Amino acid sequence: MKKNGIVKLKSAVGKLQRSLSLGRRSDSGQDDFDYDSTPVPEDVKEGHFAVVAVDAEEPKRFAVPLSCLTNPTFLRLLEAAAEEYGFDHEGAVTVPCRPSELEQILAEE
Protein backbone atom coordinates (compact mmCIF):
# COMPACT_ATOMS: atom_id res chain seq x y z
CA MET A 1 0.00 0.00 0.00
CA LYS A 2 2.77 2.46 0.97
CA LYS A 3 4.75 1.62 -2.19
CA ASN A 4 1.68 2.40 -4.33
CA GLY A 5 1.42 5.80 -2.63
CA ILE A 6 5.07 6.55 -3.35
CA VAL A 7 4.60 5.61 -7.01
CA LYS A 8 1.60 7.96 -7.22
CA LEU A 9 3.60 10.72 -5.48
CA LYS A 10 6.50 10.32 -7.93
CA SER A 11 4.02 10.46 -10.80
CA ALA A 12 2.45 13.63 -9.39
CA VAL A 13 5.87 15.26 -8.89
CA GLY A 14 6.77 14.38 -12.47
CA LYS A 15 3.54 15.91 -13.76
CA LEU A 16 4.16 19.01 -11.65
CA GLN A 17 7.70 19.35 -13.01
CA ARG A 18 6.49 18.95 -16.61
CA SER A 19 3.65 21.44 -16.16
CA LEU A 20 6.04 23.97 -14.63
CA SER A 21 8.58 23.81 -17.43
CA LEU A 22 7.33 27.07 -18.94
CA GLY A 23 8.91 28.25 -22.11
CA ARG A 24 10.03 24.81 -23.25
CA ARG A 25 10.11 24.67 -27.01
CA SER A 26 8.95 21.76 -29.12
CA ASP A 27 10.89 20.50 -32.16
CA SER A 28 8.79 22.81 -34.33
CA GLY A 29 10.07 25.84 -32.39
CA GLN A 30 6.63 26.57 -30.96
CA ASP A 31 5.82 26.86 -27.26
CA ASP A 32 4.28 23.68 -25.84
CA PHE A 33 2.62 25.76 -23.13
CA ASP A 34 -0.70 27.50 -23.74
CA TYR A 35 -0.19 30.83 -21.97
CA ASP A 36 -3.81 31.91 -22.49
CA SER A 37 -5.45 28.94 -20.76
CA THR A 38 -3.16 28.73 -17.71
CA PRO A 39 -2.18 32.13 -16.36
CA VAL A 40 0.82 32.13 -14.03
CA PRO A 41 0.60 34.62 -11.16
CA GLU A 42 3.23 37.36 -11.27
CA ASP A 43 4.69 36.40 -7.89
CA VAL A 44 5.58 32.91 -9.15
CA LYS A 45 8.98 33.33 -10.79
CA GLU A 46 10.45 30.95 -13.34
CA GLY A 47 11.63 27.80 -11.60
CA HIS A 48 9.02 28.11 -8.83
CA PHE A 49 5.49 26.85 -8.16
CA ALA A 50 2.69 27.99 -5.88
CA VAL A 51 2.00 26.18 -2.60
CA VAL A 52 -0.64 26.99 0.01
CA ALA A 53 0.04 25.91 3.59
CA VAL A 54 -3.23 25.16 5.38
CA ASP A 55 -3.65 24.27 9.04
CA ALA A 56 -5.63 25.66 11.96
CA GLU A 57 -4.27 29.14 11.29
CA GLU A 58 -4.93 31.30 8.23
CA PRO A 59 -3.79 29.70 4.93
CA LYS A 60 -0.66 31.28 3.44
CA ARG A 61 0.55 31.12 -0.16
CA PHE A 62 4.21 30.61 -1.07
CA ALA A 63 6.25 30.58 -4.29
CA VAL A 64 8.41 27.49 -3.80
CA PRO A 65 11.55 26.75 -5.85
CA LEU A 66 11.58 23.55 -7.88
CA SER A 67 14.67 22.48 -5.92
CA CYS A 68 12.29 21.67 -3.03
CA LEU A 69 11.14 18.66 -5.04
CA THR A 70 14.35 16.93 -3.93
CA ASN A 71 13.98 17.90 -0.25
CA PRO A 72 12.88 14.81 1.75
CA THR A 73 10.92 16.91 4.27
CA PHE A 74 9.03 18.71 1.50
CA LEU A 75 8.37 15.40 -0.27
CA ARG A 76 6.79 14.06 2.95
CA LEU A 77 4.53 17.13 2.93
CA LEU A 78 3.52 16.35 -0.66
CA GLU A 79 2.78 12.77 0.35
CA ALA A 80 0.57 14.02 3.21
CA ALA A 81 -1.14 16.40 0.78
CA ALA A 82 -1.83 13.52 -1.62
CA GLU A 83 -3.37 11.47 1.17
CA GLU A 84 -5.52 14.34 2.43
CA TYR A 85 -6.50 16.15 -0.78
CA GLY A 86 -5.79 13.70 -3.61
CA PHE A 87 -3.93 14.41 -6.84
CA ASP A 88 -6.62 15.86 -9.08
CA HIS A 89 -6.85 19.62 -8.62
CA GLU A 90 -5.75 22.78 -10.38
CA GLY A 91 -3.91 25.80 -9.13
CA ALA A 92 -1.57 25.95 -6.17
CA VAL A 93 -0.52 22.78 -4.41
CA THR A 94 -2.16 22.64 -0.97
CA VAL A 95 -0.13 21.12 1.85
CA PRO A 96 -1.48 20.26 5.31
CA CYS A 97 0.95 22.13 7.56
CA ARG A 98 1.29 25.42 9.39
CA PRO A 99 2.75 28.22 7.28
CA SER A 100 5.55 28.54 9.84
CA GLU A 101 6.52 24.90 9.19
CA LEU A 102 6.73 25.50 5.45
CA GLU A 103 8.75 28.67 6.05
CA GLN A 104 11.21 26.60 8.07
CA ILE A 105 11.53 24.01 5.27
CA LEU A 106 12.10 26.77 2.70
CA ALA A 107 14.76 28.38 4.91
CA GLU A 108 16.76 25.13 4.67
CA GLU A 109 16.98 25.46 0.85
Side-chain angles (χ1 to χ4, degrees):
M1 179 82 172
K2 177 127 176 124
K3 187 173 183 174
N4 189 29
I6 291 172
V7 170
K8 286 182 181 179
L9 178 61
K10 285 183 179 182
S11 174
V13 168
K15 287 178 185 178
L16 179 62
Q17 288 173 325
R18 284 189 298 280
S19 72
L20 295 172
S21 60
L22 302 178
R24 179 178 283 174
R25 302 264 179 201
S26 66
D27 292 339
S28 67
Q30 299 295 318
D31 284 337
D32 287 335
F33 191 77
D34 183 356
Y35 292 97
D36 293 330
S37 68
T38 310
V40 178
E42 289 182 21
D43 67 329
V44 180
K45 301 179 288 188
E46 186 173 335
H48 290 70
F49 59 101
V51 173
V52 177
V54 178
D55 197 34
E57 56 188 83
E58 189 72 24
K60 185 172 179 184
R61 191 171 170 278
F62 296 85
V64 176
L66 289 174
S67 61
C68 279
L69 294 175
T70 60
N71 180 318
T73 307
F74 187 77
L75 290 175
R76 282 192 292 277
L77 267 181
L78 288 180
E79 192 172 284
E83 289 175 12
E84 187 154 334
Y85 307 116
F87 290 104
D88 191 26
H89 70 283
E90 295 198 16
V93 175
T94 303
V95 293
C97 75
R98 292 190 308 271
S100 59
E101 290 177 68
L102 186 53
E103 286 171 348
Q104 189 173 21
I105 292 169
L106 296 176
E108 296 171 1
E109 286 296 308

